[in-house]
DNA sequence: GATCTATGTAGAT
DNA sequence: TCTACCTAGATCG
């Protein structure tokens, strides 16, 4: 489930498990040869920025991980290596292990490389240092639809397809509305909702966006049928009745991603 | 067991 | 706009 909340949870989990401790670093599948250089060094900190994860080691080294669509980083008790052919990176302190499989990126990064990457990312709703005005400048100057802008990591780093669909629904925004038509006040409402929803996602490890008054048990409407790990209004609910108005949720493929919305609750105004 | 699909992104066309 | 990446859970038969 690699939206930003997952990466922040991972950073916290890895920090809890390993920070300040020397770790055995290996790449059982061999596709991260730099593991040998890091082996035995101390993991000093783990930080999340949007969907990117940064592991800092002492002696000085920085590992950059991006899970992509299918990557997994699993934490568990120490034990023998299993399924080595897919195991890109393994951290082991003798008590706990962290195992990375299928990432889009796992690389050593220089400080300069990190700065360059950071420059491509907008504010992260899960970070205290985030400035929503940076995202607003990009939104307000763009003719692109707000649905497209929300997936742009320069607008809001860490937002993925689920949070996009859900925040647009919760704010009753039509996905096609051009960024330049979105008022600053509306953008700040969207931002504030993302901060709330994503922080809750970090806390629980799930994406739950349905307000109590719209929960199926409160309204008697059919519950979500897709098991992706949380209760949502529109994501992957195409054809099912909207939890608020009962109209069928619509979906459309755009820019390679599926967008979900309620044609009634999210009318273009 | 085979097949399908996905919460993402880069690079080719 | 399309495809590759290449894991794993859900679904199909």
């Amino acid at each position: 489930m690699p939206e930003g909340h997952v990466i922040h949870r991972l950073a916290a989990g890895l920090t809890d498990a390993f920070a300040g401790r020397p770790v055995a670093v290996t790449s059982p599948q061999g596709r991260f040869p730099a593991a040998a250089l890091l082996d035995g060094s101390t993991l000093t900190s783990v930080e999340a920025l949007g969907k990117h994860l940064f592991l800092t080691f002492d002696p000085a080294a920085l590992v950059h991980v991006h899970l992509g669509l299918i990557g997994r980083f699993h934490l568990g008790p120490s034990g023998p290596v299993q399924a080595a052919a897919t195991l890109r990176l393994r951290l082991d302190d003798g008590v706990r292990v962290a195992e990375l499989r299928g990432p889009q990126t796992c690389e050593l990064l220089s400080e300069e490389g990190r700065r360059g990457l950071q420059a491509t990312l907008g504010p992260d709703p899960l970070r205290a240092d985030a400035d929503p005005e940076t995202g607003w400048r990009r939104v307000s100057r763009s003719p692109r639809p707000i649905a497209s802008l929300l997936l742009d990591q320069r607008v809001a780093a860490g937002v993925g397809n689920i949070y996009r669909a859900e925040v647009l629904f919760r704010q009753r925004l039509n996905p096609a509305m051009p960024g330049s038509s979105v008022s600053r006040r509306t953008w700040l409402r969207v931002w504030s909702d993302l901060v709330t929803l994503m922080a809750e996602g970090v806390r629980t490890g799930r994406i739950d966006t349905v307000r109590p008054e719209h929960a199926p048990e409160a309204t008697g409407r059919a519950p979500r049928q897709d098991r992706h790990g949380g209760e949502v209004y529109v994501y992957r609910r195409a054809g099912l009745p909207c939890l608020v108005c009962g109209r069928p949720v619509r979906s459309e493929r755009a820019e390679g991603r599926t967008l979900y919305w309620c044609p009634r609750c999210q009318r273009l105004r």
Side-chain angles (χ1 to χ4, degrees), chain A residues 107-130:
Chain A
E107 62 182 359
L108 268 189
L109 203 60
S110 64
E111 262 309 315
E112 188 187 356
R114 181 197 162 112
R115 279 193 298 275
L117 177 58
Q118 206 156 335
T120 69
L121 296 173
D124 177 345
L126 288 170
R127 288 180 62 109
D129 59 4

Side-chain angles (χ1 to χ4, degrees), chain A residues 154-203:
Chain A
R154 295 169 297 185
V155 167
V159 174
N161 206 16
I162 303 177
Y163 283 123
R164 157 175 87 159
E166 295 300 306
V167 79
L168 287 174
F169 180 89
R170 282 168 56 100
Q171 299 305 321
R172 302 294 190 269
L173 276 176
N174 186 279
M177 180 183 270
S180 53
S181 301
V182 174
S183 71
R184 180 166 174 279
R185 189 174 166 182
T186 299
W187 166 252
L188 292 177
R189 263 189 14 237
V190 167
W191 176 266
S192 156
D193 208 20
L194 285 171
V195 171
T196 304
L197 290 175
M198 293 176 73
E200 180 72 2
V202 172
R203 200 177 63 76

Side-chain angles (χ1 to χ4, degrees), chain A residues 17-18 21-24 78 91-97:
Chain A
F18 301 112
R21 305 166 65 89
V23 285
S78 197
L91 309 178
D92 187 347
D93 70 352
V95 181
R96 307 259 283 160
V97 288

